[in-house]
């Protein structure tokens, strides 16, 4: 394959998908609207970014760039007299909360705005559903968090959008009720798209799961797979003598973790990655939390993944839809920006340290994320009990594009 040309991406994994690779249960399909289907063979032309781009990183300031993307955690103390946790830099943090108020303390405001709307929920994984840990292979979510995500997915279409490979994040979560987008949205399993937006031609492959239900596989960077594998092997070999360095193949991107590397060797890690990428002008470098990520040079990110999934769910360009995206990292800012610029929904930043963001609200850590998800579920349950106890549910086989006088609860439609 000629990876130096600028032709349209082709898609990988055309073969039927097994349940273990899919990570999606047929119960998701009721969220999909009915209508026309896409013809095979149509591909999306993904705009190319400038080749050789090294984002946030310059060879003359590796160490500063790596440190700025990975601020140390703040120490938290308990204010006994007021009953809340406070930071060493109280003034800075609480001033920051004025700009990015807690989604928990603002929960009533959020739910009031959500009245008459359909919520679509998007979640990052690391640092959002699971804590940041020294070994990325041990970033397990708690059973309580898994239960909270499972329950919230009973009420709202819920997707995981992670920098991890799709298969890997599914192994961590293990819930078939969700949609999964790995590699920063470059590997998406979603419902069969039923309508073709004029400005967004089809770029998916139709396949089926073990239950025989149709699903769509979206991989706009599939042509880069050989290149990604080649760079992965080079990085593993070049960093093998750096204690604590870990190189992770996330299918359409390569992550170089330096969390466990002595900070005196951070510049060495950065220089190695920089030197290797000099030979790969069609790959770019971005920063995460103590991780350098090598990604294809295409104009695709988590924000575009959110837009794609909303379209796939039949929820785009609808005044009665409220997307909520919760994430903690720089790569989540693209999703926050999409929701903020279009006034489409809310971004919620997970952070215990003040930092600029495109998000509207904030949560301190995964424990507060879990509390927020549980609050959503409890609100839905209270509404169902108080308002719908005397109503008869209307059974439907599929979910349609509903007017705001309906609320979806699992496979039931309740009339308000």
């Amino acid at each position: 394959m000629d990876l130096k040309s600028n032709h349209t991406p082709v898609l990988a994994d055309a073969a039927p998908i097994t349940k273990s690779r899919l990570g999606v249960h047929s119960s998701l399909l009721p969220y999909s609207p009915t209508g026309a289907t896409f013809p095979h063979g149509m591909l999306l032309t993904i705009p190319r970014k400038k080749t050789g781009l090294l984002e946030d990183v310059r060879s003359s300031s590796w160490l500063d760039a790596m440190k700025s993307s990975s601020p140390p955690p703040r120490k938290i103390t308990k204010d006994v007299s007021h009953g809340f946790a406070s930071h060493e830099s109280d003034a800075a943090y609480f001033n920051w909360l004025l700009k990015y108020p807690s989604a928990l303390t603002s929960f009533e405001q959020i739910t009031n705005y959500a009245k008459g709307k359909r919520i679509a929920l998007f979640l990052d994984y690391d640092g959002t559903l699971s804590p940041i840990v020294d070994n990325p292979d041990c970033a397990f979510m708690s059973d309580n968090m898994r239960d909270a995500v499972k329950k919230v997915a009973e009420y709202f279409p819920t997707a995981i959008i992670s920098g991890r490979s799709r298969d890997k994040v599914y192994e961590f979560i293990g819930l078939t009720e969700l949609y999964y987008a790995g590699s920063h949205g470059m590997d998406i399993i979603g419902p069969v798209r039923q309508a073709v937006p004029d400005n967004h031609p089809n770029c998916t492959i139709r396949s089926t799961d073990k239950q025989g239900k149709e699903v769509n596989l979206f991989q706009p960077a599939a042509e880069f797979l050989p290149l990604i594998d080649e760079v992965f092997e080079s990085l593993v070999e070049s960093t093998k003598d750096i204690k604590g360095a870990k190189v992770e193949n996330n299918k359409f991107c390569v992550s170089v973790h330096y969390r466990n590397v002595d900070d005196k060797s951070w510049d060495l890690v950065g220089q190695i990655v920089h030197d290797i990428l000099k030979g790969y002008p069609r790959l770019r470098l971005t920063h995460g939390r103590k991780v350098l990520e090598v990604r294809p040079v295409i104009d695709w990110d988590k924000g575009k993944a959110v837009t794609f999934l909303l379209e796939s769910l039949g929820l785009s360009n609808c005044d009665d839809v409220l997307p909520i995206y919760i994430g903690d990292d720089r790569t989540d800012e693209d999703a926050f920006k999409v929701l903020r610029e279009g006034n489409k929904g809310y971004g919620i930043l997970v952070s215990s340290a003040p930092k600029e963001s495109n998000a509207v609200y904030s949560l301190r850590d995964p424990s507060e994320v879990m509390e927020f998800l549980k609050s959503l579920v409890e609100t839905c349950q209270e509404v169902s009990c108080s308002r719908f106890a005397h109503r008869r549910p209307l059974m439907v086989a599929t979910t349609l594009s509903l007017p705001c006088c309906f609320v979806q609860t699992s496979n039931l439609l309740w009339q308000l």
Side-chain angles (χ1 to χ4, degrees), residues 116-356:
K117 298 180 183 292
R118 294 169 289 167
I119 292 177
L121 192 59
F122 302 92
L123 304 168
D124 183 27
Y125 181 73
D126 292 276
T128 299
L129 300 182
S130 72
I132 297 296
V133 295
D134 290 341
N135 185 349
D137 292 334
C138 297
F140 304 112
M141 67 192 304
S142 68
D143 290 339
N144 288 337
M145 177 68 85
R146 182 174 292 102
D147 184 61
V149 174
K150 179 180 177 68
K151 287 181 178 178
V152 82
E154 294 176 2
Y155 292 92
F156 315 113
T158 303
I160 306 297
I161 304 182
S162 172
R164 302 264 193 168
S165 71
R166 174 170 50 84
D167 289 339
K168 190 173 297 182
V169 76
Y170 174 68
E171 289 177 6
F172 277 128
I173 296 176
L175 295 176
T176 58
E177 295 87 351
L178 312 178
Y179 302 102
Y180 290 88
S183 303
H184 301 291
M186 290 181 282
D187 188 11
I188 302 176
I189 283 291
V192 174
R193 298 175 60 190
Q194 305 295 345
V196 186
D198 293 336
N199 62 344
H200 202 322
N202 180 35
C203 64
T204 63
I205 289 176
R206 184 73 55 81
S207 191
T208 58
D209 63 12
K210 282 189 174 182
Q211 288 74 35
K213 300 296 184 179
E214 288 187 315
V215 293
N216 276 343
L217 174 66
F218 175 78
Q219 294 179 333
E223 65 170 289
F224 290 86
L225 282 175
L227 206 61
I228 291 293
D229 290 340
E230 184 178 323
V231 169
F232 170 72
E233 292 176 0
S234 296
L235 287 170
V236 169
E237 178 63 26
S238 299
T239 60
K240 65 181 181 181
D241 295 328
I242 301 178
K243 185 178 180 180
K246 181 176 178 60
V247 184
E248 184 179 16
N249 189 336
N250 284 314
K251 192 165 185 176
F252 292 103
C253 60
V254 177
S255 301
V256 183
H257 301 272
Y258 56 91
R259 179 172 301 276
N260 297 323
V261 175
D262 189 302
D263 56 7
K264 295 179 180 178
S265 299
W266 282 13
D267 55 346
L268 176 59
V269 174
Q271 191 63 55
I272 288 174
V273 176
H274 177 263
D275 290 343
I276 289 177
L277 284 189
K278 285 180 180 179
Y280 297 92
R282 297 191 67 210
L283 299 178
R284 62 190 176 109
L285 185 62
T286 61
H287 272 296
R289 293 175 64 176
K290 295 189 178 178
V291 61
L292 297 172
E293 295 187 304
V294 179
R295 301 163 63 178
V297 180
I298 63 171
D299 190 15
W300 194 263
D301 52 43
K302 288 186 175 183
K304 290 181 173 58
V306 167
T307 300
F308 176 84
L309 282 166
L310 287 172
E311 291 174 353
S312 298
L313 292 163
L315 300 176
S316 62
N317 301 318
C318 297
D319 293 335
D320 64 333
V321 173
L322 178 64
I324 296 177
Y325 187 106
I326 307 178
D328 74 307
D329 209 348
R330 284 190 175 191
T331 57
D332 299 309
E333 290 296 328
D334 295 313
F336 297 155
K337 185 177 181 180
V338 164
L339 297 184
R340 176 182 281 272
E341 288 184 346
N343 196 27
K344 299 174 183 176
Y346 295 140
I348 301 178
L349 174 66
V350 183
S351 178
S352 61
K355 57 184 177 181
E356 288 301 307

Side-chain angles (χ1 to χ4, degrees), residues 81-100:
S81 61
H82 294 85
F84 58 82
S86 61
H87 293 287
E88 288 181 333
S89 303
D90 283 343
Y93 181 74
F94 289 114
N95 284 336
W96 181 76
L97 282 178
L98 295 176
K99 185 175 182 180
Y100 305 99

